[in-house]
Amino acid sequence: MLDPRTNVPPEGALVATLEGELDLASGRRLTSVEVAYETFGRLSADGSNAVLVCHALSGDSHVTSGDVGVSPGWWEPMVGPGRALDTDRLFVICSNVLGGCSGTTGPGSTDPDTGVPYGSAFPFVTIEDMVEVQRRLLDHLGIVRLAAVVGGSMGGMQALAWAKHHPERVTAVVADATTPRLGAQPIAFNVVGRRAILDDPAFAGGDYYQSDSQPDAGLSIARMVGHITYLSNESMHEKFGRRLREGIEYAYDFVNEFEVETYLAHQGRRFTERFDANTYLLMTKAMDYFDLRGESETLAEAVRGTPDRWLVTSFSSDWLFSTDQARDLAIALLAADKQVTFAEFESPYGHDAFLLEVEQQTSLLRPFLENSVRACAESLRRKEDAA
Amino acid sequence: MLDPRTNVPPEGALVATLEGELDLASGRRLTSVEVAYETFGRLSADGSNAVLVCHALSGDSHVTSGDVGVSPGWWEPMVGPGRALDTDRLFVICSNVLGGCSGTTGPGSTDPDTGVPYGSAFPFVTIEDMVEVQRRLLDHLGIVRLAAVVGGSMGGMQALAWAKHHPERVTAVVADATTPRLGAQPIAFNVVGRRAILDDPAFAGGDYYQSDSQPDAGLSIARMVGHITYLSNESMHEKFGRRLREGIEYAYDFVNEFEVETYLAHQGRRFTERFDANTYLLMTKAMDYFDLRGESETLAEAVRGTPDRWLVTSFSSDWLFSTDQARDLAIALLAADKQVTFAEFESPYGHDAFLLEVEQQTSLLRPFLENSVRACAESLRRKEDAA
């Protein structure tokens, strides 16, 4: 039986059917692609205020609640009237990524060739494939040029891919808590998460949608591993220490005993209620594959053709997407003669800080985006004059 | 069918049956306990040169090959003639821990009450329980006083427990790459490893010894998680980077693609050939439970009654048992007026450094142990004079 939680767009999202087929980096082709998206604010008359937000591994198009009174979005305190991404001034677009499980075509979607969910037949996707879908969505929406593309974590990788592959459509880039490419350790953590899913008997090679059992155990373990890497050692210890869930005596059993066990088990279980195991596999693979450098000799060479304006941010306690990696990117951008603002925010929250550190991020992001809208308007004006 | 790999002592190990029953911290009782152990070198006439080495999670009694020409031990370059633990001068004892799977009574041993392997009926063990078994082994061997107890990682926890509970039998303590207690993050990694084993259908609640299938998938994932935490980010990236196993093109499949994937998969698989899932559960639980502080207000108070002589060592890139934790221990020991040498060794190898950094460790350990033998002889002499 098809699990009802699979690939349903968030309340209030729109679904666009993209024109044409989609050729993927892997060599595979999708004959039809739908994309779930949401927009907030209004596009200005000159079209200079569009900002594309790209979501991270477990995100979706629901970046904020907007004004329709629905549930909070994944970046709620950052996106809305008067916020860092001020929807009184900006036209914010956020879409679920290709291969996702929140309304955009993904492994839980019906394969038009078979009439049943793709499952294992769904092709691998890359960050660049996700960006191509977003590009077509912008065409569909009539947006010629973005004031900025903004993304954190895997969303930041998409922002980097936009910068590299479509610089003519991007005025400014915000690369938040991200990296030009993963090193061996983050790949290793992804490997463990995938292994847990692939080895779950209920995974059934990826074709579990019409089965009674789902690979919840494997997906839950993958999420637990992920969660550890999203928190800093310090914040985790601050939050849980060695506290026991009940009392002060050890129970001598395998039931969740330390508070941190209960927390991880809860996070794992909750995740299986809203996320799809095949999508988890595809997203982590897409991250592993992403390498901004590509064929270039150096990172500086790889970013030479990208937009002029950059905001690169990292968080002091983020050990998954560390400041070192962000700094390498910033240095490469400087070497390529870009206008780059690079900031490491002090935060105890590890990688999750990009979702939590609202004030610090707002202080930079808000003026950066205002300036980007002006620069975008200027570009559009010049283009019109030239035409 | 009983898996032949379960609970076999290493070649050359002796097995002693301990006298009496064993009451455990959990309140449970083992009616009979065997302990697999090996000794290297000769006990001196005054009995002052005995050094007990305590092994880490995946170790066994086979700390070194000794002179019998068998396979190398887990601390081979550190223990032997002329080495840090010089078996020309010292009498080195190493035994498999209680709950282990290399010859000492553990979950794979036959339960005398049922005639089949304990499996899920085996009680939880603590670091203190392991130490009690070692204490009885020393009685069995007629060793009154140790020149030193030496341990790294979980072995270091045993050394700390020896220091706290049997100071009258220990002259000096070597606490290597260890901690007085785990924080939330290391517990969290243990939680994930346990979850993978507990959720493996072949685990069968712990009673898999007589089954055709073993919880290899779960144990393998647990080992993969462990391995990531034993290496530093730097050494892992140095070793594997983003290199692909074959060629330069992405394969777009879930077969091991990056070299780091192949490595982890290999480590996981190899581990299942020599280690037992129930033991893995028990060892990680014992580590989670261990807290040197106990009922004491401060760590300094907890170590007040311990032996006078200490060597506390850590490794710069070890993020699992970090220098911060070793330094806290050293500071507490100083506050308790102990003679403590504290050293952080520069090393890129993460937690595994305690197995790899031979020269640096030898430079401190060798003289420290020589001095400890002299101090032990002095203690034994005083005791004899007093008698």
Side-chain angles (χ1 to χ4, degrees):
Chain A
M1 203 175 69
L2 181 60
D3 193 308
R5 77 192 170 195
T6 302
N7 225 356
V8 176
E11 195 188 337
L14 301 169
V15 177
T17 303
L18 298 187
E19 281 192 36
E21 301 180 322
L22 185 68
D23 287 312
L24 303 171
S26 65
R28 296 274 305 273
R29 172 178 292 173
L30 286 167
T31 51
S32 111
V33 173
E34 295 192 325
V35 55
Y37 69 98
E38 299 180 47
T39 69
F40 308 90
R42 293 181 59 136
L43 190 64
S44 57
D46 67 351
S48 65
N49 70 336
V51 171
L52 178 69
V53 178
C54 304
H55 70 72
L57 197 163
S58 67
D60 55 27
S61 64
H62 198 56
V63 60
T64 193
S65 59
D67 45 12
V68 291
V70 288
S71 59
W74 58 265
W75 225 16
E76 185 74 24
M78 290 291 289
V79 183
R83 299 180 195 157
L85 284 79
D86 185 349
T87 51
D88 285 341
R89 294 156 178 254
L90 304 175
F91 180 62
V92 173
I93 309 133
C94 186
S95 64
N96 185 217
V97 295
L98 182 68
C101 53
S102 299
T104 293
T105 299
S109 303
T110 301
D111 181 348
D113 288 350
T114 62
V116 298
Y118 281 101
S120 63
F122 199 80
F124 280 71
V125 297
T126 63
I127 299 290
E128 287 78 5
D129 293 331
M130 298 174 188
V131 165
E132 174 59 16
V133 169
Q134 291 159 357
R135 192 189 65 79
R136 294 201 197 172
L137 174 64
L138 294 197
D139 288 351
H140 173 87
L141 297 173
I143 292 166
V144 177
R145 188 180 180 87
L146 293 167
V149 56
V150 177
S153 195
M154 189 183 87
M157 291 178 166
Q158 294 159 57
L160 296 178
W162 264 101
K164 185 167 177 187
H165 299 289
H166 307 292
E168 76 290 352
R169 298 189 70 165
V170 176
T171 309
V173 186
V174 178
D176 192 17
T178 194
T179 177
R181 62 180 183 190
L182 293 184
Q185 193 189 63
I187 293 176
F189 282 119
N190 283 342
V191 167
V192 170
R194 284 199 295 269
R195 193 74 263 153
I197 293 169
L198 294 166
D199 284 350
D200 186 332
F203 177 66
D207 297 310
Y208 51 80
Y209 296 107
Q210 297 177 296
S211 158
D212 285 338
S213 63
Q214 305 284 309
D216 290 344
L219 180 59
S220 175
I221 288 170
R223 182 60 165 179
M224 289 164 79
V225 176
H227 244 283
I228 300 175
T229 66
Y230 305 152
L231 303 182
S232 71
N233 185 12
E234 301 84 328
S235 68
M236 198 173 227
H237 199 67
E238 190 86 5
K239 201 166 177 177
F240 306 107
R242 294 179 48 82
R243 278 192 308 279
L244 302 177
R245 193 168 56 117
E246 284 179 6
I248 53 163
E249 301 277 334
Y250 294 144
Y252 300 108
D253 62 30
F254 292 120
V255 180
N256 301 316
E257 192 166 359
F258 290 93
E259 279 188 13
V260 68
E261 299 194 77
T262 313
Y263 169 80
L264 286 177
H266 174 73
Q267 292 294 337
R269 203 168 35 242
R270 232 181 48 176
F271 193 57
T272 64
E273 291 161 9
R274 69 174 181 88
F275 211 76
D276 177 50
N278 276 320
T279 290
Y280 196 89
L281 294 178
L282 293 177
M283 298 298 105
T284 57
K285 267 299 207 183
M287 283 196 279
D288 289 359
Y289 286 144
F290 182 67
D291 187 352
L292 183 62
R293 193 172 307 192
E295 310 283 291
S296 304
E297 281 285 307
T298 65
L299 191 55
E301 194 186 309
V303 298
R304 203 163 301 280
T306 64
D308 282 336
R309 305 171 61 85
W310 286 78
L311 176 59
V312 178
T313 48
S314 68
F315 298 87
S316 57
S317 60
D318 183 350
W319 55 285
L320 192 63
F321 292 81
S322 70
T323 290
D324 283 354
Q325 297 163 291
R327 192 187 291 113
D328 284 349
L329 174 61
I331 290 169
L333 289 165
L334 283 174
D337 201 22
K338 306 298 173 190
Q339 297 170 44
V340 52
T341 298
F342 166 57
E344 180 194 49
F345 298 120
E346 274 297 314
S347 170
Y349 298 122
H351 186 55
D352 269 357
F354 87 93
L355 298 168
L356 300 171
E357 291 289 358
V358 174
E359 265 188 60
Q360 294 194 76
Q361 291 188 97
T362 301
S363 68
L364 277 184
L365 210 47
R366 208 179 137 86
F368 182 83
L369 293 175
E370 275 179 28
N371 296 338
S372 300
V373 170
R374 272 198 295 276
C376 184
E378 178 64 26
S379 286
L380 290 166
R381 211 157 34 236
R382 273 204 310 269
K383 197 178 163 194
E384 201 155 285
D385 292 348
Chain B
M1 204 177 63
L2 180 60
D3 194 307
R5 77 193 171 194
T6 302
N7 225 359
V8 176
E11 195 187 338
L14 301 169
V15 177
T17 303
L18 298 186
E19 280 190 37
E21 301 180 322
L22 184 68
D23 287 312
L24 303 170
S26 65
R28 296 275 303 275
R29 170 177 293 173
L30 285 168
T31 51
S32 113
V33 174
E34 294 192 326
V35 56
Y37 69 98
E38 299 180 47
T39 68
F40 308 89
R42 294 181 59 135
L43 190 64
S44 56
D46 67 350
S48 65
N49 69 335
V51 172
L52 178 69
V53 178
C54 304
H55 70 72
L57 198 163
S58 67
D60 55 28
S61 63
H62 198 56
V63 60
T64 193
S65 58
D67 46 10
V68 292
V70 290
S71 58
W74 57 265
W75 225 18
E76 185 74 24
M78 291 291 289
V79 184
R83 299 181 194 155
L85 285 80
D86 185 349
T87 51
D88 286 342
R89 294 155 176 256
L90 304 175
F91 180 61
V92 174
I93 309 135
C94 186
S95 63
N96 185 217
V97 295
L98 183 69
C101 54
S102 300
T104 293
T105 299
S109 304
T110 301
D111 182 347
D113 288 350
T114 63
V116 298
Y118 282 99
S120 63
F122 198 81
F124 281 71
V125 298
T126 64
I127 299 290
E128 287 78 6
D129 294 330
M130 297 174 190
V131 165
E132 175 59 15
V133 170
Q134 291 160 358
R135 192 189 64 78
R136 294 201 198 174
L137 174 64
L138 294 196
D139 289 350
H140 172 86
L141 297 173
I143 292 167
V144 178
R145 188 179 180 88
L146 292 167
V149 57
V150 178
S153 194
M154 189 183 87
M157 292 177 165
Q158 294 160 57
L160 296 177
W162 263 101
K164 185 167 179 187
H165 299 291
H166 307 294
E168 76 291 351
R169 297 189 70 166
V170 176
T171 310
V173 187
V174 178
D176 192 18
T178 194
T179 177
R181 61 180 183 190
L182 294 184
Q185 193 190 62
I187 293 176
F189 282 118
N190 283 343
V191 167
V192 170
R194 285 199 294 271
R195 193 74 263 153
I197 293 169
L198 294 166
D199 284 350
D200 186 333
F203 177 67
D207 298 312
Y208 51 80
Y209 297 107
Q210 298 178 294
S211 156
D212 285 338
S213 63
Q214 305 284 308
D216 291 343
L219 180 59
S220 176
I221 289 170
R223 183 59 165 179
M224 289 164 79
V225 176
H227 245 282
I228 301 174
T229 65
Y230 305 152
L231 303 182
S232 71
N233 185 12
E234 300 84 328
S235 67
M236 197 173 228
H237 199 66
E238 189 86 5
K239 202 167 175 176
F240 306 107
R242 294 178 49 82
R243 278 192 308 281
L244 303 177
R245 193 168 55 116
E246 286 179 3
I248 53 163
E249 300 277 333
Y250 294 144
Y252 301 108
D253 61 32
F254 291 121
V255 180
N256 301 316
E257 192 167 359
F258 290 94
E259 279 188 12
V260 68
E261 299 194 77
T262 312
Y263 170 79
L264 287 176
H266 173 74
Q267 292 294 338
R269 203 168 36 241
R270 231 180 49 174
F271 194 57
T272 63
E273 291 161 10
R274 69 174 182 90
F275 212 77
D276 177 50
N278 276 320
T279 289
Y280 196 91
L281 295 177
L282 293 177
M283 297 299 104
T284 57
K285 266 300 207 184
M287 284 195 279
D288 289 0
Y289 286 143
F290 182 66
D291 188 351
L292 183 63
R293 192 174 306 192
E295 310 282 292
S296 304
E297 281 285 307
T298 64
L299 191 54
E301 195 186 308
V303 298
R304 204 163 300 280
T306 63
D308 282 336
R309 306 170 61 83
W310 286 78
L311 176 59
V312 177
T313 47
S314 68
F315 297 87
S316 56
S317 59
D318 184 350
W319 56 283
L320 192 64
F321 292 81
S322 69
T323 290
D324 283 354
Q325 296 162 294
R327 192 187 290 113
D328 285 350
L329 174 61
I331 290 169
L333 289 166
L334 283 174
D337 201 21
K338 305 298 173 190
Q339 298 169 44
V340 52
T341 299
F342 166 57
E344 181 196 47
F345 298 121
E346 275 296 313
S347 171
Y349 298 122
H351 186 54
D352 269 355
F354 87 94
L355 298 169
L356 300 171
E357 291 288 359
V358 174
E359 265 188 59
Q360 294 193 77
Q361 292 187 95
T362 301
S363 69
L364 277 185
L365 209 47
R366 209 179 137 86
F368 182 83
L369 293 176
E370 274 179 29
N371 296 339
S372 300
V373 170
R374 273 197 296 275
C376 184
E378 179 64 27
S379 287
L380 290 167
R381 211 156 36 233
R382 274 204 310 269
K383 198 177 162 193
E384 204 154 283
D385 293 348

